[in-house]
């Protein structure tokens, strides 16, 4: 069940073709990371969507699934523009955990971390200090076009592949022409 409007519904019953196109390759890579299937495809994804297209909730769903069901330990980072943006993703995860108590009960939330039987994901605002010491296998980059500076992006983007099989998922909007984010995209 997902927190859709006007009322919660099963994602599989309401998924639109464009959403399936976005979700399926990420899910295959995530299941590969989690040891749930053999996977040899790309381990880095960039999705650009407009406001209101299920970006933060999709990230929350992917993270929750990995933390609940992975056969391998997950050590992840959720990088968002700031604490407020990160809290939106954690809120989405908590909302859907309440709608799905069969897996939601497996998750534990603190102000900057969500943990499950398979590991944890730390929330790191992009306005925080250095990310040079990150040693995770799952990186979720949220709304990069709203990040004030490029420091965390550079640290993650240059280091995430140092751990073989690591997965990077970036979901953002189109941003502003001429910004460092526009050049990146």
């Amino acid at each position: 069940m997902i927190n859709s409007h006007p009322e919660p519904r099963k994602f599989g019953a309401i998924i639109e073709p464009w959403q399936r196109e976005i979700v399926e390759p990420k899910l295959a890579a995530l299941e590969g990371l989690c040891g749930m299937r053999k996977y040899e495809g790309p381990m880095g994804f960039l999705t650009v969507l407009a406001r209101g297209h299920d970006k933060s909730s999709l990230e929350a769903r992917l993270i929750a699934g990995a933390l609940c069901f992975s056969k391998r330990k997950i050590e992840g980072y959720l990088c968002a523009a700031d604490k407020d943006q990160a809290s939106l993703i954690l809120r989405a995860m908590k909302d859907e955990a309440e709608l799905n108590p069969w897996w939601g009960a497996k998750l534990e939330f603190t102000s900057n971390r969500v943990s499950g039987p398979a590991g944890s994901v730390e929330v790191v605002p992009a306005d925080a200090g250095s990310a040079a010491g990150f040693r995770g296998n799952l990186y979720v980059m949220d709304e990069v076009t709203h990040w004030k500076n490029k420091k965390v992006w550079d640290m993650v983007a240059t280091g995430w592949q140092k751990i073989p099989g690591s997965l990077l998922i970036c979901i953002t909007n189109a941003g502003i022409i001429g910004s460092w984010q526009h050049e990146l995209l």
Side-chain angles (χ1 to χ4, degrees):
M1 298 294 288
I2 65 167
N3 191 19
S4 63
H5 295 285
E7 60 189 45
R9 293 178 282 177
K10 291 182 179 179
F11 186 57
I14 63 170
I15 189 170
E16 296 184 21
W18 66 267
Q19 289 173 305
R20 189 173 305 282
E21 205 173 294
I22 290 168
V23 170
E24 286 178 353
K26 288 184 182 96
L27 186 56
L30 186 64
E31 288 175 348
L33 169 69
C34 293
M36 301 167 83
R37 72 155 74 172
K38 185 173 170 72
Y39 178 78
E40 296 180 4
M43 293 301 283
F45 296 88
L46 169 64
T47 304
V48 180
L49 293 170
R51 174 179 277 214
H53 280 78
D54 196 42
K55 292 188 297 288
S56 297
S57 296
L58 173 60
E59 292 170 331
R61 254 175 249 127
L62 293 171
I63 292 169
L67 294 177
C68 287
F69 304 112
S70 180
K71 294 178 181 182
R72 295 183 181 143
K73 183 175 182 193
I74 299 297
E75 185 176 342
Y77 298 94
L78 167 58
C79 303
D82 52 33
K83 287 182 181 180
D84 292 337
Q85 182 66 30
S87 71
L88 293 175
I89 297 164
L90 288 179
R91 180 78 254 157
M93 200 179 306
K94 287 178 186 176
D95 289 346
E96 291 190 7
E98 290 173 10
L99 292 170
N100 300 282
W102 59 276
W103 59 261
K106 297 178 181 202
L107 297 175
E108 182 180 320
F109 296 90
T110 63
S111 61
N112 68 339
R113 182 180 295 273
V114 58
S115 302
S120 64
V121 171
E122 181 181 348
V123 175
V124 179
D127 58 4
S130 173
F134 286 180
R135 302 251 333 130
N137 57 4
L138 175 62
Y139 296 89
V140 178
M141 314 294 269
D142 183 70
E143 294 289 9
V144 174
T145 58
H146 295 291
W147 293 15
K148 293 178 182 75
N149 65 60
K150 198 176 169 195
K151 185 176 183 180
V152 171
W153 173 266
D154 285 342
M155 289 295 158
V156 172
T158 58
W160 71 276
Q161 292 179 320
K162 291 179 181 174
I163 296 180
S166 293
L167 175 61
L168 180 128
I169 297 173
C170 178
I171 301 177
T172 191
N173 65 35
I176 300 168
I177 293 174
S179 66
W180 69 265
Q181 296 94 330
H182 178 255
E183 295 302 315
L184 176 72
L185 296 174

